[in-house]
Amino acid sequence: QLLSGAASEPQAVVDAINAALEGPARDVELFNAVASATVALQQTAGIEVCLAAMATVDTAFKDSKDKRILASLKRLGELRVLLESGIDERADAVAKDEPMAVEKLLATVDKLVAGQPGEGVLQKLTFLAQQFEYTRRYELTGQIYAKLEAGFKDHADPDIAKKAQAMIATGRKRTDLVGKPLVVLGNGLDGKPFDWKPYADKFVLVDFWATWCGPCQKEIPNIKRNYDKFREKGFEVIGVNLDQPRDDLNRFLAVQPLPWQTVVDAEAFAEQCGVESIPFVVLIGRDGRVIDLHVRGELLEKRLAELFGEDAKPADEKPAS
């Protein structure tokens, strides 16, 4: 009832939280209910109301002897710190290219990683770095990772320090690809090592995908349209398939053959590139160096048109059967 009310009557939720906390019960079930309700208030009543409700919950449960409640209360406290920092507003300002937005964002990151930040801060800032990576702000992504590394390398909790190191390293594998040479590694469908030499002096899109990935399959028609449009000008595609076992891939290709080469046995190559989720695409220039990441959807045609000196006019499109 608390959560359902948060969508329509925020003040009623605040009143219900206060009323629930007047009683003597301080069990996990009550904590989970009121904590969830306070989080929901962020979207319906604004940050100030949300923070006030969180403070009320903190006061009510801070002396609890239940370790589960105390652990959850710590996570709720980290969320309060993030909300109070205005990190989301700083990120929105960067997306809108507002003056001094990057500097303000990085200053806020510095404050969040000072001292002994919790895992909630790590998760939030890593997610934020990934969002800037997806929008191709690679320099800013690298700056955030550098601050995370400095803030967590000497963390008192070795598990958090280790997790931070792993998350940062994987993210850097992706962004560090940009501007550097990349050679696709793996085997062809015939089991022989993939031959990269024929792709010299071409623009190449490397598409990491799998048959079980819905967004991957949705992107294939878009890639094919651009492949048909730009191939004669020097554009190629290599599909790096991550299906295990390969039976699903074989069935897929029997029904829907792809006009470009498919590379398999490429798990080590995917790890080398920092692939955590798919589809993940890498655009390589004629010199063999990575130009861009995450060029999907309409952005792919726009980017290729820029590279080939054409206007990005949509190709004729028919709905997929």
Side-chain angles (χ1 to χ4, degrees):
Q1 289 178 337
L2 289 174
L3 286 175
S4 62
S8 57
E9 298 181 14
Q11 186 56 51
V13 176
V14 172
D15 293 341
I17 291 173
N18 293 332
L21 295 177
E22 289 177 357
R26 292 288 188 272
D27 57 17
V28 172
E29 184 177 355
L30 176 63
F31 174 83
N32 289 338
V34 295
S36 297
T38 62
V39 174
L41 285 170
Q42 178 185 354
Q43 299 298 325
T44 60
I47 291 178
E48 291 186 6
V49 174
C50 175
L51 289 173
M54 287 181 174
T56 299
V57 173
D58 181 77
T59 300
F61 286 93
K62 65 181 180 180
D63 296 326
S64 173
K65 304 301 182 183
D66 191 314
K67 293 182 178 180
R68 296 169 298 174
I69 291 177
L70 293 177
S72 297
L73 195 62
K74 182 179 179 180
R75 290 192 291 271
L76 191 66
E78 291 178 8
L79 179 56
R80 286 178 62 190
V81 170
L82 289 167
L83 291 174
E84 290 170 345
S85 74
I87 188 68
D88 288 329
E89 291 79 5
R90 300 283 188 272
D92 288 341
V94 172
K96 296 174 182 177
D97 292 319
E98 294 181 5
M100 299 297 294
V102 171
E103 291 81 359
K104 292 177 181 178
L105 173 73
L106 292 176
T108 302
V109 173
D110 280 331
K111 292 179 181 179
L112 287 171
V113 300
Q116 291 290 311
E119 191 171 344
V121 171
L122 172 63
Q123 296 285 356
K124 176 65 176 183
L125 294 183
T126 303
F127 174 79
L128 191 65
Q130 291 173 343
Q131 295 309 299
F132 287 124
E133 174 196 326
Y134 295 147
T135 55
R136 300 151 64 233
R137 293 178 180 264
Y138 306 125
E139 181 179 358
L140 179 54
T141 298
Q143 291 172 315
I144 294 174
Y145 281 140
K147 292 181 181 299
L148 279 171
E149 183 177 46
F152 282 89
K153 66 177 181 180
D154 296 322
H155 201 283
D157 187 329
D159 291 335
I160 292 180
K162 184 177 180 181
K163 182 174 292 187
Q165 182 181 15
M167 294 171 73
I168 294 166
T170 301
R172 280 178 168 166
K173 285 180 181 179
R174 295 190 299 273
T175 54
D176 286 352
L177 293 173
V178 180
K180 296 180 181 178
L182 183 66
V183 175
V184 176
L185 302 174
N187 295 327
L189 292 173
D190 58 3
K192 297 179 181 179
F194 179 72
D195 186 5
W196 174 249
K197 297 184 184 67
Y199 295 88
D201 198 34
K202 295 179 182 294
F203 290 106
V204 182
L205 186 76
V206 182
D207 176 31
F208 291 86
W209 72 291
T211 60
W212 46 261
C213 169
C216 297
Q217 294 202 35
K218 185 178 179 180
E219 182 66 14
I220 287 176
N222 179 59
I223 296 176
K224 188 176 185 305
R225 285 192 296 273
N226 285 281
Y227 180 74
D228 293 340
K229 181 175 180 178
F230 293 104
R231 185 184 183 190
E232 291 184 0
K233 299 179 183 296
F235 175 58
E236 287 291 344
V237 176
I238 300 171
V240 179
N241 181 266
L242 301 177
D243 275 288
Q244 287 293 339
R246 204 180 302 167
D247 295 346
D248 290 338
L249 172 63
N250 294 336
R251 284 191 288 268
F252 179 91
L253 295 177
V255 176
Q256 186 177 335
L258 299 176
W260 49 78
Q261 291 293 314
T262 298
V263 173
V264 295
D265 303 324
E267 288 74 20
F269 177 58
E271 183 179 354
Q272 171 191 324
C273 294
V275 178
E276 287 185 296
S277 61
I278 53 176
F280 175 67
V281 297
V282 180
L283 184 59
I284 301 175
R286 292 188 188 276
D287 60 357
R289 295 177 181 273
V290 174
I291 299 174
D292 226 335
L293 310 175
H294 307 296
V295 279
R296 296 167 48 200
E298 295 179 358
L299 179 59
L300 175 58
E301 184 172 6
K302 179 180 178 181
R303 196 72 175 90
L304 292 174
E306 292 172 353
L307 294 171
F308 289 111
E310 293 187 2
D311 293 329
K313 297 178 180 178
D316 293 338
E317 181 178 349
K318 296 180 180 179
S321 60

